[in-house]
Amino acid sequence: MPPVGKKGGRGLQEKTIAAISTALGESAVGMIRISGSEAIAVADRVFCAVSGKPLSSLKGYAAAYGEVKDGERVIDDGVALVFRAPKSYTGEDVVEITLHGGRLLLLEALRLILENGAKPAAPGEFTKRAFLNGKTDLTKAESIMGLISAKSSAELRLSRAAHLGKISKSIAEIEEHLLLLDASIAAFSDYPDEELEGVSPAHFAEHLDFAENALQRMLSSYEAGRVLREGVETAIVGKPNVGKSTVMNLLSGTERSIVTEIPGTTRDVVEESVIAGGVCLRLADTAGIRKTEDAVEAIGVSRAKNRLDTAELVLAVLDASRPLDEDDRALLAALRGRTCLVILNKNDLPEQIDRKDLQGFYTVETSALNGEGYEALCAAIGKITHTAGLDPDSAVLMNERQRACAAKAYESIKEAKNALASGFTTDAVGVCVDDALAALYELTGKRVTNEVAEEIFEHFCVGK
Ligand code: GDP
């Protein structure tokens, strides 16, 4: 499969495409985007500016007010914005027609545009064209979906950082070191007996160290970034009556679970999400895990167990005002080795718990009933998920594809270091360095196969 990177045939696409780029619903305005060499001609067939001038007479970045008309029938009035290649989102000629944001209205206008020469845009096709025309690299393109779908401010900041090119910049720095290294290796091979500035195995090692450290930093922040973006599947567990529902209410700030004095009445797994310390916890308030005779409650208990098995983060609630019993100890034993935070609830009452039983666990104290301990709980969650130390405005890899490329580059750099340390020829080091570069080129899309590009953009929404 030939690459579609710079060397592999970027260029203007033939078809002129159109799609509604705003969400379909009821809104003040909605926008239809047309892109391609015929974009302005197509728009001129349906849009009549009040000035009487055709859009083709406008320069780039110019707007005209007018009407979208099907023959004599006016569909709506609005504004057409003209962009001339290459200064547009896609790098092609683009017209964006903004009308009133009615669903039927926009669909009718789009149909008219399609009847007048445009083809319907596939999901992500505008951004794909922007990529193929060199307007954006893959990491910036991939950040767009994050900008659109962000569910927390942290996710938005991560996506914005990627969109501003933070990942691209970090990768470019690594590439620069590796290219310098490649050049030094070539000079070293060509002139082995000359002492050239910056050309020696010690200098090679410096470049490799830089690349290794930078990639390691990126890979280690990936998981925390994923948690900030996607949230973390969380189970709240503990015996009946220790205060799980009350803790959940402390986290969510509302009375969403049934909080009751009678043990065993939180029967089912209640799904909800809360943001705690910037992290979205996909929570489930579970029926108390314990042996039960009640069939209905037993269903809740078995669901709670499943939830506990799959949870990435466990919040184990204990009643600190009572000594631990066998059920508490069994629960703690089952949680050893898991990402788990032990919540010592009811700390408004005298403490009866033996702290020795909690060795090796992260703990935090709350009095959920009085709404106390929220901040400490958030801080502990940030710490345990490693998100507290993550700067959401820095270069944080956004998805598994990017992580896999960075991991491949990292492995190749380690191989290069081994080859250098074991006294292999510089050529062997060079091969590993080129492998690392290839992986980085794939990450940013400098060199990427058609299949990979297709796969990425088909996950976009239509109109983007
Ligand atoms: P769950 O069965 O584990 O979900 O427990 P609940 O949240 O239903 O709470 C059981 C009882 O403990 C209720 O009467 C709560 O008001 C009480 N409770 C919960 N948290 C606290 C706390 O921090 N301090 C005190 N004193 N009581 C609490």
Side-chain angles (χ1 to χ4, degrees):
M1 183 61 62
V4 293
K6 268 182 187 134
K7 293 174 194 153
R10 284 174 193 245
L12 298 179
Q13 308 288 299
E14 280 166 17
K15 270 189 324 179
T16 289
I17 51 170
I20 299 167
S21 283
T22 44
L24 268 184
E26 292 177 18
S27 61
V29 292
M31 189 263 278
I32 298 175
R33 183 182 273 159
I34 313 169
S35 178
S37 54
E38 293 295 304
I40 298 170
V42 169
D44 264 334
R45 282 178 214 135
V46 302
F47 188 87
C48 307
V50 287
S51 66
K53 287 186 197 157
L55 297 175
S56 58
S57 68
L58 300 185
K59 288 190 195 142
Y61 299 133
Y65 172 69
E67 289 171 336
V68 170
K69 283 169 94 173
D70 183 4
E72 284 311 302
R73 191 170 71 89
V74 176
I75 291 183
D76 197 16
D77 62 326
V79 173
L81 197 51
V82 174
F83 300 84
R84 298 246 175 212
K87 294 184 176 174
S88 71
Y89 181 71
T90 57
E92 305 171 332
D93 280 351
V94 168
V95 180
E96 291 181 354
I97 302 179
T98 302
L99 303 169
H100 294 101
R103 185 188 168 86
L104 279 177
L105 186 161
L106 288 169
L107 287 170
E108 212 173 281
L110 176 65
R111 190 177 331 122
L112 186 65
I113 288 165
L114 297 179
E115 283 166 5
N116 278 278
K119 299 272 179 287
E125 196 169 356
F126 293 106
T127 309
K128 183 176 167 191
R129 289 184 177 203
F131 167 65
L132 293 174
N133 292 327
K135 299 292 288 184
T136 179
D137 75 10
L138 276 188
T139 63
K140 291 184 197 168
E142 283 174 316
S143 70
I144 293 171
M145 285 313 283
L147 285 177
I148 293 171
S149 64
K151 297 202 177 41
S152 69
S153 64
E155 184 182 0
L156 184 59
R157 280 170 70 179
L158 287 170
S159 305
R160 198 178 291 129
H163 195 59
L164 291 174
K166 289 276 169 74
I167 300 176
S168 322
K169 194 161 161 263
S170 296
I171 298 294
E173 266 169 22
I174 301 171
E175 284 174 7
E176 207 175 295
H177 276 267
L178 297 182
L179 288 170
L180 272 174
L181 175 56
D182 253 352
S184 308
I185 287 175
F188 189 79
S189 308
D190 290 347
Y191 308 101
D193 302 325
E194 303 210 13
E195 289 208 358
L196 299 170
E197 170 90 24
V199 177
S200 71
H203 285 100
F204 301 163
E206 272 175 30
H207 290 303
L208 288 173
D209 284 345
F210 178 91
E212 187 186 26
N213 292 336
L215 285 166
Q216 196 170 37
R217 274 198 304 277
M218 285 188 129
L219 287 167
S220 58
S221 65
Y222 172 73
E223 191 50 32
R226 190 189 67 75
V227 167
L228 275 189
R229 261 192 314 277
E230 296 174 11
V232 56
E233 194 172 315
T234 306
I236 298 194
V237 295
K239 275 185 325 190
N241 250 16
V242 291
K244 295 181 298 299
S245 306
T246 320
V247 165
M248 184 139 159
N249 290 337
L250 176 71
L251 280 168
S252 62
T254 51
E255 291 276 323
R256 272 178 232 173
S257 311
I258 314 151
V259 182
T260 164
E261 294 276 1
I262 310 151
T265 46
T266 313
R267 290 218 159 143
D268 213 339
V269 177
V270 185
E271 289 273 359
E272 69 179 89
S273 293
V274 295
I275 307 282
V279 180
C280 175
L281 304 182
R282 300 202 307 276
L283 276 170
D285 181 9
T286 50
I289 294 183
R290 54 166 200 153
K291 290 205 178 91
T292 175
E293 303 296 319
D294 180 327
V296 181
E297 196 192 329
I299 296 170
V301 171
S302 91
R303 285 197 200 160
K305 282 217 168 94
N306 288 342
R307 180 74 187 194
L308 177 57
D309 289 343
T310 60
E312 298 166 280
L313 170 67
V314 181
L315 304 180
V317 184
L318 300 178
D319 179 348
S321 70
R322 286 163 189 260
L324 290 186
D325 66 12
E326 283 316 302
D327 284 348
D328 295 317
R329 288 208 179 81
L331 177 65
L332 288 174
L335 292 176
R336 288 233 174 254
R338 301 279 302 269
T339 306
C340 172
L341 176 64
V342 175
I343 299 172
L344 303 175
N345 192 36
K346 308 198 187 183
N347 87 329
D348 48 295
L349 303 173
E351 185 170 313
Q352 300 256 9
I353 218 159
D354 185 351
R355 296 263 180 162
K356 271 200 239 100
D357 291 316
L358 303 173
Q359 271 170 10
F361 284 103
Y362 277 103
T363 57
V364 65
E365 291 165 24
T366 58
S367 168
L369 187 65
N370 300 326
E372 283 165 20
Y374 178 73
E375 257 95 53
L377 196 52
C378 289
I381 288 167
K383 204 162 162 192
I384 203 167
T385 55
H386 303 291
T387 50
L390 186 74
D391 174 7
D393 299 320
S394 64
V396 180
L397 297 171
M398 297 207 69
N399 54 36
E400 187 49 35
R401 185 195 74 80
Q402 295 178 6
R403 193 207 62 79
C405 291
K408 226 192 290 176
Y410 179 69
E411 287 309 315
S412 299
I413 295 294
K414 282 206 334 205
E415 277 173 34
K417 284 186 79 170
N418 283 341
L420 193 63
S422 328
F424 283 101
T425 61
T426 44
D427 282 356
V429 180
V431 169
C432 300
V433 171
D434 288 345
D435 286 348
L437 275 169
L440 296 180
Y441 290 159
E442 189 176 329
L443 198 163
T444 54
K446 262 189 196 153
R447 214 186 285 153
V448 70
T449 62
N450 236 331
E451 280 158 333
V452 172
E454 295 282 339
E455 160 85 20
I456 290 169
F457 291 106
E458 73 191 19
H459 290 110
F460 276 53
C461 43
V462 172
K464 195 63 235 152

